[in-house]
Amino acid sequence: MRHPGGWLAAAALWLAVAVPAGAQVGAAALADPAPEGFAAAGPARVLGRDSLWVDLDGAATAYLEYGCLRMAAREYDPADGGAAARVRVQLFELPTPLDAFGLYRRLRPAAGAAGPLGAEAVLGASDLLLRQGRVVAGLLFVDPAQARPERL
């Protein structure tokens, strides 16, 4: 079974799973089923503060400045084998909602369409960024040159 409504419905579900008071971001937040039209490209990964560099390279500094506690990530391929690019979902757990707000404001694109998900959401040219409670979620195309925002 897939999430009806694709990525936007899936993002709402991930935020609902990841955000409950006292909950930690983990692999369970990215458990199956995959969003409609996509299949998981592998298992979810969870990285702590000391290993954010594995996925984020130099960008990890920004997340650590806001106290990022952990990140859960998973990649998805189009189930139809079409030309759509692989999509990566990243959930970042911050110590407080204020920290999440700061990180969200730092990461959000200057030009993007505001969305109705979470406390705040913005759709950029190749990604979707959301914030709810202590969690910042990003959905992005692994290869920005293959970005198809209409698939988000």
Side-chain angles (χ1 to χ4, degrees), residues 33-57:
E36 186 175 344
F38 284 81
R45 299 179 317 283
V46 178
L47 301 173
R49 292 180 53 80
D50 56 345
S51 56
L52 287 178
W53 304 98
V54 172
D55 266 17
L56 302 176
D57 294 327

Side-chain angles (χ1 to χ4, degrees), residues 80-140:
D80 63 7
R86 177 175 282 191
V87 174
R88 178 179 298 140
V89 176
Q90 298 171 318
L91 301 175
F92 300 94
E93 180 185 351
L94 287 295
T96 68
L98 185 59
D99 293 317
F101 173 78
L103 180 61
Y104 172 84
R105 296 295 284 185
R106 181 170 178 172
L107 297 176
R108 69 181 238 155
L117 293 172
E120 291 186 80
V122 63
L123 178 62
S126 65
D127 63 346
L128 173 65
L129 186 67
L130 310 103
R131 178 186 68 83
Q132 178 69 36
R134 300 182 306 122
V135 175
V136 173
L139 288 75
L140 57 140

Side-chain angles (χ1 to χ4, degrees), residues 12-70:
L13 178 61
W14 287 323
L15 286 174
V17 170
V19 172
Q24 291 185 351
V25 165
L30 296 174
D32 290 325
E36 186 175 344
F38 284 81
R45 299 179 317 283
V46 178
L47 301 173
R49 292 180 53 80
D50 56 345
S51 56
L52 287 178
W53 304 98
V54 172
D55 266 17
L56 302 176
D57 294 327
T61 301
Y63 296 84
L64 293 171
E65 286 175 0
Y66 287 93
C68 185
L69 302 171
R70 69 191 51 79

Side-chain angles (χ1 to χ4, degrees), residues 38 77-78 80-86 141 146 148 151:
F38 284 81
D77 288 326
D80 63 7
R86 177 175 282 191
F141 288 93
Q146 299 297 316
R148 292 182 56 195
R151 297 285 304 240

